[in-house]
Amino acid sequence: MAAAKKAVLGPLVGAVDQGTSSTRFLVFNSKTAELLSHHQVEIKQEFPREGWVEQDPKEILHSVYECIEKTCEKLGQLNIDISNIKAIGVSNQRETTVVWDKLTGEPLYNAVVWLDLRTQSTVESLSKRIPGNNNFVKSKTGLPLSTYFSAVKLRWLLDNVRKVQKAVEEDRALFGTVDSWLIWSLTGGASGGVHCTDVTNASRTMLFNIHSLEWDKELCEFFEIPMKILPNVRSSSEIYGLMKAGALEGVPISGCLGDQSAALVGQMCFQDGQAKNTYGTGCFLLCNTGRKCVFSEHGLLTTVAYKLGRDKPVYYALEGSVAIAGAVIRWLRDNLGIIKTSEEIENLAKEVGTSYGCYFVPAFSGLYAPYWEPSARGIICGLTQFTNKCHIAFAALEAVCFQTREILDAMNRDCGIPLSHLQVDGGMTNNKILMQLQADILYIPVVKPSMPETTALGAAMAAGAAEGVGVWSLEPEDLSAVTMERFEPQINAEESEIRYSTWKKAVMKSMGWVTTQSSESGDPSIFCSLPLGFFIVSSMVMLIGARYLSGMP
């Protein structure tokens, strides 16, 4: 019997989307931007001490290979020839820090994840060395000195991990964010792997001058980082190297964008003033500011949006970063056990339709924009004996929306022209309750593309458009029109403001929970260093009672 004929399609482009919670590989048709197939693998997070968050770099790499192989198998079942895949883009969780041995290809320590708080004392001691009238770190990088960024994580590794120190002394160490680790490994690793990053990821390290687009000698000296371990900085759209193994061996890797920049490209926010909000592990609102750096007066970051080609101009963005969004759902599932799957939260929230005065501030890793307050910790307040797990579920969703409102308010003040609507993407946007709540709390329409995988799409667009690949046109007239779902506000503005002002009261109560000593020591006997405050969790469990947590009426 003759083999089934392979379907003929235009050139295809693959995208690795390596996030904090999961890895995916997705394949798109470059002419229509249609998603043809994908595969996803969840990634473990390790919490060795309170405030510490780590991942295994080898698990991350293996998950990428697994996702590529499984997606290629699925394409085969659809009679789609994988030889049509002409390029691969990489999008990644940003700031997460990896150091590895260039001779063996082995990581020298776990990846220190962007959410990690162990560097608080490092940040405090470095802060004292910055002159009050000349914050050269912020003026060069667009970033506040914070545990969030890679330089302080790398400094901690150099100070505390002997294997890392020894490898640097013996000229065996390489540093990179997750994109660098993946590209180096996928292009050959110890046998000639390409050690590079792109401008968007480099701009999140606190070692990169966003004006000159180079590693900055003064910054590296300030953080005492040896420049020889840093990757080469490239544009977001060019051929970096070829896949050296697996089903797609020989295919060029030609796109690289930090996940939030990738989503900005995937949402086609190419015009000055266009903005998008991505709901993933955290929540990130980016506004394209064109070819000029705009420095925030209201707690936002200035960052590189993209540079789509070696000879193309760089574009910048203002960014509001929220540490905990989807991660709060995972916490309700894995830590409290009140849901078995992430999808269940929508049903719980729908059951009550209100938080009944319960407010949840999920400051598990302190508060990011606009506060930059590392001493904050998560609290649930406004509890009564009537409160049950449905109200807590609703409050968790509301928390994501309130945090976005705070960012949007800051963005509007910095830009001067309020956004008329909010473009959204990311896994959480499948939750219709969340999207409606977001429209209600912002009091502007929320607009969601019918294909929410815009992060992967952005990486694919960058890869397909690269010089030497040229299968994806980024000309405005050639970009595929995207169908949108729209959520209009359904409550009055006064009610929205009351709920928001009560949330702000809760945020104030979440601050000042942790001292440097308790967060550094990881000593669980110190009550103020516990993730949700010992007394608050104890009270919550006593008040709600076993019957609510078990789902009984």
Side-chain angles (χ1 to χ4, degrees):
M1 187 173 165
K5 190 178 177 185
K6 296 280 184 185
V8 179
L9 293 164
L12 311 181
V13 180
V16 173
D17 180 5
Q18 204 300 298
T20 318
S21 304
S22 68
T23 299
R24 290 178 294 179
F25 185 69
L26 307 92
V27 174
F28 298 90
N29 183 326
S30 66
K31 298 303 177 196
T32 63
E34 178 193 358
L35 174 60
L36 300 174
S37 188
H38 74 284
H39 188 77
Q40 179 169 345
V41 172
E42 194 166 297
I43 298 290
K44 285 198 283 290
Q45 293 176 40
E46 298 172 28
F47 307 96
R49 293 192 192 181
E50 192 275 315
W52 293 30
V53 190
E54 298 179 1
Q55 290 178 321
D56 179 354
K58 291 176 81 172
E59 184 194 352
I60 291 173
L61 178 61
H62 291 152
S63 72
V64 170
Y65 277 120
E66 181 182 343
C67 288
I68 290 173
E69 297 301 314
K70 293 278 198 255
T71 303
C72 288
E73 285 173 20
K74 290 177 183 179
L75 289 170
Q77 290 161 9
L78 295 169
N79 287 334
I80 296 171
D81 192 341
I82 62 170
S83 68
N84 280 334
I85 298 175
K86 303 303 182 189
I88 295 168
V90 174
S91 160
N92 57 287
Q93 53 171 309
R94 304 169 302 167
E95 300 93 18
T96 295
T97 299
V98 187
V99 182
W100 67 93
D101 188 319
K102 67 183 178 185
L103 302 182
T104 66
E106 290 294 309
L108 295 165
Y109 190 80
N110 270 347
V112 181
V113 176
W114 57 276
L115 286 163
D116 190 279
L117 287 174
R118 75 187 67 187
T119 54
Q120 187 51 37
S121 66
T122 309
V123 167
E124 286 170 9
S125 62
L126 287 167
S127 296
K128 290 169 186 161
R129 292 171 43 203
I130 297 178
N133 60 349
N134 177 26
N135 189 342
F136 67 94
V137 174
K138 187 165 188 185
S139 63
K140 288 185 177 207
T141 66
L143 311 173
L145 194 56
S146 164
T147 59
Y148 183 16
F149 306 107
S150 311
V152 290
K153 301 179 196 300
L154 181 52
R155 182 68 259 147
W156 187 91
L157 291 168
L158 290 166
D159 288 339
N160 292 281
V161 181
R162 181 60 195 141
K163 279 173 75 175
V164 171
Q165 295 163 352
K166 196 163 185 293
V168 171
E169 288 160 12
E170 296 172 2
D171 200 22
R172 292 182 287 108
L174 295 178
F175 151 79
T177 41
V178 170
D179 58 306
S180 297
W181 163 243
L182 291 179
I183 291 171
W184 184 83
S185 301
L186 296 171
T187 57
S191 306
V194 178
H195 188 216
C196 70
T197 188
D198 90 299
V199 288
T200 67
N201 282 295
S203 76
R204 311 299 291 191
T205 60
M206 251 183 346
L207 300 170
F208 185 72
N209 188 314
I210 61 173
H211 311 286
S212 66
L213 302 183
E214 295 174 331
W215 298 122
D216 190 283
K217 191 167 183 289
E218 185 184 12
L219 290 169
C220 290
E221 286 171 356
F222 176 71
F223 290 105
E224 299 178 75
I225 303 293
M227 293 183 81
K228 65 183 180 181
I229 72 174
L230 304 179
N232 293 317
V233 182
R234 313 273 284 270
S235 79
S236 310
S237 178
E238 60 179 270
I239 295 174
Y240 312 112
L242 306 180
M243 288 284 289
K244 284 289 159 56
L248 299 181
E249 187 175 350
V251 176
I253 299 174
S254 55
C256 179
L257 289 154
D259 52 10
Q260 303 314 318
S261 288
L264 195 74
V265 171
Q267 285 267 31
M268 299 173 204
C269 294
F270 294 125
Q271 302 300 313
D272 194 337
Q274 287 186 305
K276 66 87 208 171
N277 197 33
T278 299
Y279 300 77
T281 297
C283 200
F284 303 88
L285 179 55
L286 267 70
C287 180
N288 189 331
T289 62
R291 293 166 67 172
K292 61 183 183 296
C293 285
V294 175
F295 283 86
S296 174
E297 305 277 315
H298 302 96
L300 305 181
L301 311 176
T302 304
T303 198
V304 174
Y306 52 81
K307 185 179 190 292
L308 294 173
R310 254 181 291 205
D311 303 320
K312 297 289 171 66
V314 64
Y315 283 76
Y316 296 94
L318 269 177
E319 173 174 339
S321 314
V322 169
I324 302 293
V328 76
I329 314 303
R330 190 166 175 162
W331 182 84
L332 290 173
R333 184 192 73 184
D334 297 346
N335 292 37
L336 282 198
I338 68 172
I339 52 174
K340 290 191 174 66
T341 67
S342 298
E343 292 71 32
E344 279 178 48
I345 194 160
E346 186 170 5
N347 293 331
L348 285 184
K350 197 173 188 177
E351 206 172 300
V352 285
T354 174
S355 67
Y356 204 79
C358 172
Y359 285 82
F360 192 160
V361 183
F364 301 148
S365 295
L367 289 167
Y368 283 13
Y371 301 100
W372 299 106
E373 182 49 73
S375 72
R377 281 298 177 275
I379 64 167
I380 299 175
C381 53
L383 300 171
T384 70
Q385 284 177 299
F386 182 72
T387 309
N388 65 33
K389 65 180 182 179
C390 298
H391 299 119
I392 291 171
F394 195 96
L397 296 182
E398 267 194 322
V400 175
C401 301
F402 285 131
Q403 290 179 108
T404 298
R405 166 75 188 268
E406 292 189 299
I407 298 298
L408 194 73
D409 283 357
M411 194 81 74
N412 287 340
R413 287 197 293 272
D414 277 326
C415 294
I417 305 167
L419 290 178
S420 59
H421 66 277
L422 183 65
Q423 290 177 231
V424 300
D425 59 77
M428 289 185 83
T429 61
N430 291 325
N431 185 321
K432 290 190 186 300
I433 298 265
L434 177 73
M435 292 295 93
Q436 186 56 56
L437 271 174
Q438 190 67 88
D440 289 347
I441 288 164
L442 296 180
Y443 212 66
I444 58 172
V446 167
V447 180
K448 174 196 160 190
S450 55
M451 198 288 291
E453 304 294 352
T454 51
T455 301
L457 178 60
M461 289 165 67
E467 187 180 343
V469 178
V471 299
W472 205 307
S473 170
L474 297 183
E475 295 302 321
E477 64 272 15
D478 296 328
L479 293 171
S480 303
V482 179
T483 55
M484 298 284 190
E485 187 176 0
R486 194 175 173 94
F487 297 84
E488 299 284 349
Q490 291 182 356
I491 64 172
N492 64 50
E494 187 182 1
E495 186 186 340
S496 180
E497 288 305 315
I498 290 168
R499 282 157 66 175
Y500 183 48
S501 62
T502 312
W503 153 264
K504 299 280 260 188
K505 275 167 59 181
V507 170
M508 292 302 119
K509 292 180 190 302
S510 76
M511 294 186 191
W513 278 85
V514 170
T515 62
T516 301
Q517 289 72 27
S518 63
S519 65
E520 290 287 317
S521 71
D523 181 356
S525 68
I526 302 170
F527 81 90
C528 68
S529 73
L530 285 169
L532 262 172
F534 175 78
F535 296 114
I536 290 171
V537 171
S538 301
S539 303
M540 181 181 76
V541 173
M542 284 189 289
L543 283 170
I544 296 171
R547 66 198 186 103
Y548 288 118
L549 290 178
S550 66
M552 290 172 63

